[in-house]
Amino acid sequence: MDIQIGRGKTARRAYGIDEIALVPGQRTLDPNLADTRWRLGSIEREIPIIASAMDGVIDVRMAVMLSQIGALGVLNLEGIQTRYADPEPILEQITSVGKSEFVNLMQDLYAEPIKPELISQRIREIKDQGGIAAVSATPVGAMKYGEIVASAGADLFFVQATVVSTAHLSPESVTPLDLAQFCQDMPMPVILGNCVTYEVALNLMKAGAAAVLVGIGPGAACTSRGVLGVGVPQATAVADCAAARDEYHQQTGNYVPVIADGGLITGGDICKCIACGADAVMIGSPLARAKEAPGRGFHWGMATPSPVLPRGTRIQVGSTGTLQEILIGPAQLDDGTHNLLGALKTSMGTLGAKNLKEMQQVEVVIAPSLLTEGKVYQKAQQLGMGK
């Protein structure tokens, strides 16, 4: 039901992940029976979690480790790893500078030109160690470096921006990326995003997207919602885009996964996103907390170093455990940020969902008090869910 904002302007109510809860059904099952496998193109993964293409999260080492564990990591082709042959001193500068100097430093460091030979080198380094080479670029970057990525043999190409659509208007002097042609020309699956609406998701699927990324501005280090005022809360955005996926599948027989991107911190957040219709999730800050992450306990967004309008910041997330502990346990913390796969399997068992498709069908209720009801002592003592 539309809500009247004022005369001449109505709005639809949208819901965030914190506002919903999952309802157990008539059966339960042993978590060991829960099947969390999913596919992206011809690649099957046991863990439906993708590490965001952010410089504080993914380098070659992390990409390889995630592949070995059963997940996936995406390397930012327009970041530190492709601007500097030795990124370590640069990462040290980023993580050691104070808050007031941070933005200017980032703009200076990211003004260093991208070196095409480093794109090829990083992809080879991942593949030579047996990892899945998934890479990300903006639409402009995809136009510039698409052939290099293809020649280097990358396995997956993510084309990402704050908002991506098939109906982009540019000045006459600028030729925009033809998404449909790009998807057709590239020898690997192309994932497109980001979007938050049924119509745009459907158009991206029709353009040939192998998967669609859903989420504008919910990320822990993203400030797009404050800077631009743009976004749709994730529960509603995912459900709308999942409806587009189902419609496209019914029309064509082609199933295009929906990936919820951003705003997810705990295992419960991941469970609720899948229940809203996501096939997988993309997360940044939870994995930036891994001891192996290149950010040294810090996390920053892809648009943070923009030379004209930064839409991100640097946050301190700390280093709370190893990558294995965060993804598959054993958990060393009690707040839902460790053993994310175990949380998903246990939730599926509690809800009686044998696989991700069944998880997408569980009952969801509006529950604004879900995270606060009965948690007075945890909040007062800053324990568990009260941290």
Side-chain angles (χ1 to χ4, degrees):
M1 179 182 298
D2 284 343
I3 301 168
Q4 188 174 30
I5 301 298
R7 292 181 181 273
K9 179 65 71 172
T10 59
R12 181 167 65 109
R13 177 68 159 93
Y15 296 94
I17 293 299
D18 286 353
E19 298 177 278
I20 64 171
L22 310 183
V23 181
Q26 298 183 30
R27 75 177 185 194
T28 56
L29 59 89
D30 188 299
N32 290 322
L33 299 177
D35 183 359
T36 59
R37 291 175 297 172
W38 75 295
R39 297 185 69 85
L40 184 51
S42 61
I43 297 173
E44 183 178 274
R45 300 274 79 194
E46 179 190 357
I47 304 175
I49 294 175
I50 303 173
S52 301
M54 296 179 176
D55 285 341
V57 180
I58 292 296
D59 57 7
V60 169
R61 180 190 179 201
M62 279 285 283
V64 173
M65 290 180 66
L66 284 157
S67 300
Q68 293 170 341
I69 288 175
L72 191 65
V74 185
L75 187 73
N76 178 14
L77 293 185
E78 296 176 64
I80 296 300
Q81 298 293 326
T82 57
R83 296 176 192 268
Y84 298 92
D86 182 7
E88 292 305 311
I90 308 303
L91 291 165
E92 182 63 33
Q93 290 185 62
I94 292 173
T95 57
S96 61
V97 73
K99 294 179 181 178
S100 59
E101 302 91 1
F102 169 68
V103 173
N104 289 337
L105 173 67
M106 291 288 280
Q107 291 172 327
D108 290 342
L109 293 177
Y110 280 78
E112 178 73 16
I114 295 169
K115 299 171 178 59
E117 64 273 16
L118 285 179
I119 293 177
S120 300
Q121 179 179 327
R122 300 302 183 216
I123 292 172
R124 286 197 305 269
E125 287 172 350
I126 294 171
K127 293 182 71 70
D128 287 348
Q129 297 177 62
I132 297 170
V135 298
S136 172
T138 61
V140 172
M143 290 179 66
K144 289 182 180 178
Y145 309 118
E147 291 185 6
I148 296 170
V149 171
S151 298
D155 299 302
L156 297 166
F157 200 148
F158 289 67
V159 179
Q160 293 183 257
T162 301
V163 179
V164 167
S165 73
T166 55
H168 180 68
L169 301 180
S170 298
E172 291 184 4
S173 59
V174 177
T175 302
L177 176 65
D178 185 328
L179 295 175
Q181 190 65 49
F182 188 79
C183 290
Q184 182 177 325
D185 292 345
M186 294 301 285
M188 78 287 289
V190 177
I191 298 87
L192 300 178
N194 285 32
C195 66
V196 287
T197 64
Y198 173 95
E199 293 80 8
V200 173
L202 188 59
N203 287 336
L204 293 177
M205 293 172 191
K206 290 178 179 178
V212 170
L213 294 164
V214 177
I216 295 175
C222 184
T223 62
S224 291
R225 291 181 176 180
V227 176
L228 306 178
V230 176
V232 174
Q234 277 293 64
T236 295
V238 170
D240 284 349
C241 295
R245 173 202 61 210
D246 294 342
E247 175 66 22
Y248 185 70
H249 181 240
Q250 186 176 6
Q251 290 178 0
T252 67
N254 184 22
Y255 189 89
V256 179
V258 164
I259 302 167
D261 176 17
L264 312 177
I265 304 298
T266 67
D269 294 340
I270 294 170
C271 297
K272 287 190 279 185
C273 250
I274 293 175
C276 286
D279 297 282
V281 300
M282 176 175 272
I283 59 176
S285 60
L287 298 178
R289 303 174 85 193
K291 293 177 180 178
E292 301 91 343
R296 298 168 169 81
F298 286 89
H299 177 55
W300 57 94
M302 294 174 73
T304 301
S306 169
V308 293
L309 189 65
R311 298 182 303 284
T313 189
R314 182 195 63 179
I315 58 174
Q316 187 168 4
V317 295
S319 297
T320 66
T322 65
L323 180 62
Q324 178 158 320
E325 287 169 345
I326 290 171
L327 277 180
I328 60 176
Q332 302 299 316
L333 297 176
D334 57 6
D335 59 3
T337 61
H338 279 196
N339 195 0
L340 300 177
L341 179 62
L344 175 58
K345 286 181 174 257
T346 301
S347 181
M348 291 171 66
T350 303
L351 297 164
K354 292 185 293 186
N355 52 48
L356 296 183
K357 294 308 297 180
E358 290 190 2
M359 186 66 168
Q360 292 170 349
Q361 304 303 316
V362 303
E363 183 182 355
V364 175
V365 295
I366 307 304
S369 64
L370 179 72
L371 302 180
T372 58
E373 185 177 41
K375 302 298 183 289
V376 174
Y377 290 110
Q378 291 186 37
K379 183 67 175 176
Q381 299 174 35
Q382 295 187 332
L383 299 169
M385 292 170 62
K387 291 179 181 177

